[in-house]
Amino acid sequence: MHGLLVDDQTRCEHYQGPLDVIALKFACCGKWYPCHLCHAERADHETRQWSTKDRAMQAVLCGVCGSLLRIDAYLETSECPTCAAGFNPGCRLHHDLYFD
C-alpha cells in the first residue's frame, strides 16, 4: 500500500474517519493508494481514470476484510458485500477522479 500514514484498514493522513476503509488500484500505475491525495503526493506521474470498459476490474480493496471488489460492484454499493463494512458516502464526490 502506498500513501502517507496508512493504517491497517487503509485510512491515511488525509481521510481518517471510521468509514474511510477502501483503497484503490490506480489505472495509471497499478499501485494501491488509499486516496487521490496520497497518489498525488507520492507518485511521479499524473492520475489516469479507469475507463468504463474496465468496470469488471478488481480495483477496490475493502480495508476491513481485505476483499477485492470489481469497480462496477463498488459503484453500486455503500458497504462491502463480504463483511458489510460501511464505505464513506462522501467518496462518491471523488469518483470522477478514479473512474470515467
Side-chain angles (χ1 to χ4, degrees), residues 1 4-6 11-12 16 27 30 36 43 48 52 58-59 63 66 77 84 89 95-96:
M1 182 73 51
L4 302 171
L5 304 174
V6 180
R11 291 178 194 88
C12 67
Q16 301 175 3
H36 63 100
R48 182 171 44 89
T52 54
Q58 289 186 318
T77 191
H95 281 181
D96 63 320

Side-chain angles (χ1 to χ4, degrees), residues 27-97:
C28 49
C29 57
K31 294 181 180 177
W32 293 90
Y33 288 89
C35 79
H36 63 100
L37 297 170
C38 283
H39 183 273
E41 292 174 6
R42 305 288 277 185
D44 61 357
H45 57 271
E46 293 293 318
T47 301
R48 182 171 44 89
Q49 300 166 312
W50 287 101
S51 77
T52 54
K53 67 180 171 69
D54 293 323
R55 294 284 168 95
M57 295 292 297
Q58 289 186 318
V60 181
L61 171 74
C62 173
V64 175
C65 72
S67 292
L68 292 175
L69 285 75
R70 291 171 36 144
I71 294 169
D72 55 1
Y74 169 70
L75 293 173
E76 295 173 4
T77 191
S78 60
E79 64 181 30
C80 177
T82 303
C83 72
F87 297 148
N88 186 338
C91 290
R92 295 190 181 282
L93 301 172
H94 303 135
H95 281 181
D96 63 320
L97 299 174

